[in-house]
Amino acid sequence: MVTNTAALPLKVWIGMDTGQKTSALCAVDDAGTIHFQSNVDTNSKEVAALLNFHFPSGVEVIAMEACGTSVRVAKGLRELGFEVVLFGTLQVHRFLTMRRIKTDMNDARGLAHLARLGRTFLNEVHLKSNECMMMRAKLVARHHLVRQRIATEQLILSSLHIRGQGFPKRIRTSASLEKHVLSAIAAIKDDLGEDISDHISPLLQIALNLRDEENKFSEEITKFALRSTICQRFVAIPGVSALTAVSFFTAVEDPFRFRRCCDVAAYLGLTPAVHQSGDRTAPSRITKVGSTMTRSHLVTNLRDAYVKARYSKHYSITKDELDWLADHIEELGRVVHLVCSERIATLRHAIDTPS
């Protein structure tokens, strides 16, 4: 349905509900009046031609829901000069559920209103580059392969454990895994007279194939880390692996979209949640929003760095560091005393102040 566009408003906002083949378009003005509704093929050039025909003076913003079908169209429209914003799926869903009847055109109308009003209170989704998205896809694929490989190896291990056999928890290579499993199968056959190779061998082959594919992805990720200047800076930090560097880089990509550096921690769900109502403030655990995979990479690297610093001889304190501490021990003592005094004063003030 196309309405009369003879008297066009000065400002027009577009909502686009993208689909695999066709998409719904809706245009509203600054008063929320609908001026245009139509279905169009999910193609950036056709969408641009349709908008240029009906709105030759241009449009303000085109709003879409961040999903698999909208990324390609959004990039194409940005290349053609349109301003496109993507909103998070969960936030858009909560806004659109206020309408009882769900249709593609109603969703496009809701997105048009979000384009007009929502940029002031909704978070926009950052549209990453093609190279970053490709590397992110490889990270996700490797992450799933690791989970499937661990589950398969645990299934093999449980079958061996109930028969009194097993293999070490940390096995680095496929050859070592195959050697331990075949040795356990032979030991079970000799001790119990039971041949379990019929159902263990297929699982072992799956685990070996998963390890091979996982290693291929790991090599590609490492090569990308060596090519990227930013990732090389991350890898230069003691304890940061190439996997964690690439995972963090692809999760953030553009750090200038954050106003403060601490916002990055909140973006990855590493800041504590707070529930406040009236005089009651209840702090909670970390929010765990954002990428679970990147957060697990960061926490795992932090844990490994702590273990190495605590127990490894390679991370023991050197004589030069001891000499430096001896030269600055008095200064360090003053700093610690100052910090502790300020903290104690703050706590006393909070205790003495009536609520």
Side-chain angles (χ1 to χ4, degrees):
M1 181 187 71
V2 179
T3 60
N4 183 18
T5 59
L8 292 177
L10 295 177
K11 295 183 179 181
V12 178
W13 287 265
I14 306 295
M16 182 174 178
D17 182 54
T18 57
Q20 193 67 31
K21 294 182 179 179
T22 60
S23 301
L25 283 177
C26 180
V28 298
D29 60 8
D30 51 1
T33 305
I34 299 175
H35 285 263
F36 175 78
Q37 290 187 132
S38 177
N39 291 317
V40 64
D41 291 340
T42 307
N43 184 286
S44 58
K45 294 182 179 180
E46 294 192 12
V47 173
L50 186 65
L51 293 178
N52 290 329
F53 176 76
H54 290 284
F55 306 103
S57 60
V59 298
E60 292 293 317
V61 177
I62 303 175
M64 302 181 190
E65 181 181 2
C67 59
T69 57
S70 63
V71 173
R72 174 174 52 88
V73 182
K75 287 187 175 182
L77 289 173
R78 284 185 177 181
E79 292 176 356
L80 295 174
F82 291 91
E83 184 178 359
V84 182
V85 296
L86 299 176
F87 294 114
T89 304
L90 181 60
Q91 294 177 328
V92 171
H93 172 72
R94 289 176 176 175
F95 181 81
L96 296 181
T97 49
M98 291 189 294
R99 294 184 179 272
R100 294 187 176 182
I101 299 177
K102 183 188 183 309
T103 62
D104 292 343
M105 199 58 68
N106 282 344
D107 291 346
R109 185 185 308 173
L111 287 168
H113 289 300
L114 280 179
R116 183 171 62 95
L117 304 172
R119 301 188 73 179
T120 58
F121 61 91
L122 290 183
N123 295 326
E124 299 179 14
V125 176
H126 172 65
L127 189 58
K128 299 177 181 177
S129 62
N130 292 331
E131 183 183 24
C132 183
M133 293 178 62
M134 180 62 67
M135 189 52 56
R136 192 71 182 173
K138 293 179 180 179
L139 281 168
V140 173
R142 181 193 175 277
H143 181 69
H144 285 286
L145 287 176
V146 170
R147 296 178 61 182
Q148 293 175 11
R149 189 257 301 170
I150 292 175
T152 304
E153 292 180 0
Q154 288 298 319
L155 184 59
I156 296 173
L157 185 60
S158 63
S159 298
L160 298 179
H161 271 172
I162 61 176
R163 295 171 176 85
Q165 296 293 329
F167 52 82
K169 292 183 179 180
R170 292 183 177 271
I171 297 181
R172 301 296 182 184
T173 63
S174 300
S176 179
L177 174 65
E178 185 176 14
K179 176 183 176 181
H180 282 91
V181 173
L182 294 179
S183 177
I185 292 175
I188 292 173
K189 187 174 182 180
D190 294 338
D191 297 340
L192 304 178
E194 183 181 359
D195 188 6
I196 61 172
S197 59
D198 292 340
H199 73 276
I200 295 295
S201 296
L203 294 175
L204 176 61
Q205 190 59 44
I206 292 174
L208 296 177
N209 292 337
L210 290 172
R211 278 180 174 265
D212 293 339
E213 297 301 325
E214 175 190 341
N215 292 333
K216 292 179 182 179
F217 279 115
S218 298
E219 291 177 359
E220 294 182 11
I221 292 170
T222 303
K223 291 179 181 178
F224 177 82
L226 295 176
R227 294 196 308 267
S228 173
T229 305
I230 298 177
C231 290
Q232 288 180 8
R233 295 179 182 178
F234 292 146
V235 174
I237 302 173
V240 177
S241 64
L243 176 65
T244 303
V246 176
S247 180
F248 182 79
F249 169 72
T250 54
V252 176
E253 189 183 28
D254 183 15
F256 297 102
R257 60 192 176 103
F258 300 97
R259 290 184 299 176
R260 300 171 299 175
C261 59
C262 57
D263 292 340
V264 180
Y267 174 73
L268 295 174
L270 293 171
T271 56
V274 176
H275 179 77
Q276 188 177 44
S277 179
D279 296 334
R280 180 178 177 273
T281 301
S284 182
R285 298 182 178 180
I286 60 174
T287 58
K288 294 185 179 181
V289 298
S291 174
T292 303
M293 179 186 66
T294 300
R295 187 167 55 253
S296 66
H297 289 161
L298 293 172
V299 173
T300 301
N301 254 185
L302 178 62
R303 183 186 60 191
D304 292 343
Y306 169 77
V307 171
K308 290 179 179 179
R310 177 66 178 83
Y311 299 104
S312 177
K313 62 180 181 180
H314 300 291
Y315 287 81
S316 60
I317 191 168
T318 63
K319 186 178 182 302
D320 295 337
E321 292 171 340
L322 285 174
D323 295 339
W324 183 89
L325 287 173
D327 296 337
H328 298 79
I329 190 65
E330 294 183 0
E331 181 182 354
L332 290 173
R334 286 194 297 269
V335 172
V336 172
H337 178 74
L338 177 61
V339 172
C340 293
S341 299
E342 292 177 352
R343 181 60 177 167
I344 292 173
T346 304
L347 292 174
R348 285 179 177 175
H349 177 73
I351 293 174
D352 296 337
T353 303
S355 57

